[in-house]
Structure formats: structure tokens, C-alpha cells
Amino acid sequence: MFHLKTSFARKVALGALTALALVAAVPGGAASAAPEPVQWAALGDSYTAGVFVGSPRPELGSAERDGCDRTTGAYPNLAERRFTVEPPAGRPVKLTDFSCGASTIAEIATARQTPISPVQPPEGGWPSVDAQIERAGLSASTDVVTIGVGGNSLPFGKILASCLILGTGQEDDATPCRDAYERGDFVLDPESIRDKFQRVFREYVTMLEAVHDKAPNAKVITVGYPTIIPADATTCDRQDTTELAADIKDAETRLSATHGDIAWLGQVNTELNTIIEDATDLVDYGYTYLDTATTSTGHDACQPRATKWVEGVCGQAGPYWPTDLNVGLVTLKCSDGNRATLVHPNAAGHANTATLVEAAVRKALT
């Protein structure tokens, strides 16, 4: 058996042990190196940004506000908070969120966007911003990208407004809006709905290719749209502005989509989700499509306030959000404490999507 017989040997041994102890104790030492954070970029339109759910982010009055209407109640922020409590795969998550209200598919990848926030716009309007993949700094070190976009490229909002206008005074089962868009001879929008679907599919594939070029190592999750129309459109109250009716400022007529066109709008929403899923599968990079419609069934815009996860044309929103809102050539007017929510997810809707996104990100990282 070997014995330390000299004072010198004892000093060497003691010094070695002390050095090892110091390495273990010093932050950043080999034994305690912190794991690299997960780099997560959240891209998307108003259904990702949150617009009127929670507090504005950046906060009101901040010089960093850009007119994109991101909020603290949006699903990326909710999921990030959950990752802080329980990091995925033991790694902290760094979220970069440049989602922006009214963003189109092209404005995710290639085109500059001029934001349209109605909340404290600067004199002369909001300046344009770079495409989101540029703002978010996508690169080879990006680990996860979530993308929720597509509706503004149809554009769904304009189609809904057309249905409200054309349906006013029509019988419940009439389909004037569907008929106009299927013919493609609608004076305000000559592009048929079928041509719109085909164009959006091409744009989505092009966008995903651009994301892959910027972030070739990222796990990409495309986020579909929630259910906004009930399976039975006749359950919608055609005169309720918290569902799918609208009042115009200084006008006496209430605009109202027919039940026939409301049902068709539900089909349009379903087809848009199918396009997103098909485009995600087509690019063949192992990307994941996230279905938010199935779990939100029964929580559409025509449900009672306590049940709905999507607000109607008017609904509940933060006090900073307007009650009157310019939409094209007219001004939408909401009353009875409601605000111009324009068929967007509420806090419960974002909480549901956050749960799905959280699970998808965890799965992607493991």
C-alpha cells in the first residue's frame, strides 16, 4: 500500500485536492457549466401577437413600440413563462417574438410591413419594419421557430366584411358572399376563393423555404387557426355584434352575415388550416403542423361570453383598445362596454394555444 511519507508529497496532494474543489465551486467551471439556452423565434400575425389580450408589449409610451400590437397575454409569452418554471430538456428558453398584427405570409419572409396599430400611433403613422425572419435574427443557431400566419393573405378580414355587407337584409339560408367569391366576379375582389387558396399555398411554401434557408437547424412548428365558426351556423345570432354582426358609425343599419355565409366562412377557415398543414408536409424538412382547431371546437365566436375563446366583431378587450375602428371606408362602432375585437382569440384562446405550443416545443427538443 502506498503512503505519503514526505511533507512535499503531502503538500502536492493537498494542492491538487484544493484545485479540484475550486474548479467545482467556481461558476462556469467544468463541473457546473450552464446549458445553452434554447433559441426560440415566434413569428406570426395578430393571432400570435395577442393584439388586445394582456398588456401592450412594449408598454404604452415606450420608444420601442412598433405598431405590431404584441401583448403579454399572447401565447408565446404564456408558453415562455411555463418554460421558465420547467425548462424543456433542462435548458432555459430565450424567446424572440416579432409577430405583428395584420402580417401577411410575405411579410414573414421577404416583404417589409407597415404596421397599422390603432393604439397611440405616431404622427404620420407607423414606420415600416423588416420582414420577421430578419427582425428575429434567424440563423443556424436558432433551435425552434413557431409560425402562425395565413389569414391576412386571403385576406380573411376582408372576406368577412364582405359577408357582413352582402348578407344584410338577406334570408338566413342565402349565400350571397359565398356565391360572389366562388364566381370570382365580386366587384371589390375579383380573385375567386379557389384562386386565393392556390396562391396562399404557394406563398406559404415559399415562406417555409425562406425560413429553412435562414435557420437550417431549427425545429419549425406551423400553428393553425382555432375554430371561429360553430359547426351549426344557425346557432349564431345575426343581430349580436359580439358574434358576427356589426354596427357602422353614423349609420342606422346593422350589418349581418347570413347563416349560409357564416357556414361557408367556417369552411374557408378549415381550408386555410388544410393549406397550412399540406404546405408544412410538402417542404419535407420534418416540420410540424399544430392543430388548434380541434381543441377549440365548441369555443367559437358564437358561444356565450364565458365559453367563447374567440371574440366576435365586438367583444372584451383591454381598456387601451378602441371601441370605434376604421375598417376600409367605414368606421366600426362597438357599444355596451365592448371593443372592436374583429374575431380574434381572447385570453382563454391564447391559453389553449400556449398549452399546445408548449407541448409541441418540448416534443421537438426531445
Side-chain angles (χ1 to χ4, degrees), residues 39-51 53 55-58 64 66 68-81 93-101 103 108 130-138 142 144-148 350:
Q39 301 292 332
W40 170 25
L43 315 177
D45 58 23
S46 53
Y47 273 58
T48 298
V51 293
V53 179
S55 301
R57 188 180 60 85
E64 296 180 358
D66 56 7
C68 285
D69 287 325
R70 292 180 296 278
T71 65
T72 58
Y75 72 76
N77 292 279
L78 299 180
E80 181 191 29
R81 290 173 215 162
V93 174
K94 180 181 179 182
L95 171 64
T96 301
D97 180 4
F98 279 106
S99 57
C100 193
S103 180
I108 296 293
D130 287 333
Q132 290 183 33
I133 64 172
E134 301 294 341
R135 299 190 77 193
L138 264 59
T142 303
V144 177
V145 180
T146 54
I147 310 170
H350 277 278

Side-chain angles (χ1 to χ4, degrees), residues 45 97 129 131 149 151 176 179 193 245 347 364:
D45 58 23
D97 180 4
V129 295
V149 74
D179 296 344
I193 192 64

Side-chain angles (χ1 to χ4, degrees), residues 271-314:
E271 181 64 21
L272 176 58
N273 280 334
T274 299
I275 288 170
I276 295 171
E277 182 176 14
D278 288 348
T280 303
D281 292 340
L282 179 68
V283 295
D284 198 27
Y285 294 129
Y287 292 173
T288 300
Y289 167 73
L290 188 60
D291 171 20
T292 67
T294 299
T295 54
S296 57
T297 298
H299 299 280
D300 53 82
C302 292
Q303 297 300 319
R305 175 159 289 166
T307 305
K308 64 173 61 184
W309 290 355
V310 177
E311 298 295 317
V313 174
C314 297

Side-chain angles (χ1 to χ4, degrees), residues 99-334:
S99 57
C100 193
S103 180
T104 64
I105 295 170
E107 289 162 347
I108 296 293
T110 58
R112 293 182 65 84
Q113 177 180 359
T114 301
I116 60 172
S117 173
V119 181
Q120 298 181 353
E123 186 176 352
W126 298 101
S128 66
V129 295
D130 287 333
Q132 290 183 33
I133 64 172
E134 301 294 341
R135 299 190 77 193
L138 264 59
S139 70
S141 62
T142 303
D143 296 295
V144 177
V145 180
T146 54
I147 310 170
V149 74
N152 294 311
S153 292
L154 279 174
F156 189 86
K158 182 177 180 180
I159 295 173
L160 172 61
S162 300
C163 290
L164 291 170
I165 294 170
L166 293 177
T168 302
Q170 298 282 339
E171 295 293 328
D172 283 347
D173 60 355
T175 55
C177 189
R178 182 198 70 182
D179 296 344
Y181 274 101
E182 288 188 348
R183 288 194 306 265
D185 58 2
F186 186 35
V187 66
L188 296 180
D189 193 343
E191 185 182 35
S192 73
I193 192 64
R194 186 53 47 189
D195 288 342
K196 288 180 181 295
F197 289 150
Q198 292 174 353
R199 173 179 53 76
V200 167
F201 178 81
R202 294 192 299 270
E203 291 175 354
Y204 211 97
V205 170
T206 298
M207 180 265 294
L208 290 179
E209 294 286 0
V211 169
H212 184 262
D213 288 344
K214 283 284 187 180
N217 302 315
K219 304 291 187 180
V220 176
I221 301 166
T222 59
V223 183
Y225 288 89
T227 297
I228 62 174
I229 303 293
D232 181 3
T234 64
T235 61
C236 292
D237 183 348
R238 293 187 61 191
Q239 296 305 310
D240 190 345
T241 60
T242 66
E243 297 184 12
L244 300 174
D247 287 337
I248 304 302
K249 192 172 184 178
D250 300 326
E252 297 181 359
T253 301
R254 176 162 291 180
L255 304 182
S256 175
T258 67
H259 287 150
D261 278 338
I262 290 172
W264 175 73
L265 286 170
Q267 295 170 10
V268 171
N269 188 49
T270 298
E271 181 64 21
L272 176 58
N273 280 334
T274 299
I275 288 170
I276 295 171
E277 182 176 14
D278 288 348
T280 303
D281 292 340
L282 179 68
V283 295
D284 198 27
Y285 294 129
Y287 292 173
T288 300
Y289 167 73
L290 188 60
D291 171 20
T292 67
T294 299
T295 54
S296 57
T297 298
H299 299 280
D300 53 82
C302 292
Q303 297 300 319
R305 175 159 289 166
T307 305
K308 64 173 61 184
W309 290 355
V310 177
E311 298 295 317
V313 174
C314 297
Q316 296 294 286
Y320 55 85
W321 200 251
T323 57
D324 297 355
L325 191 63
N326 291 329
V327 181
L329 300 177
V330 299
T331 299
L332 178 72
K333 180 178 178 62
C334 294

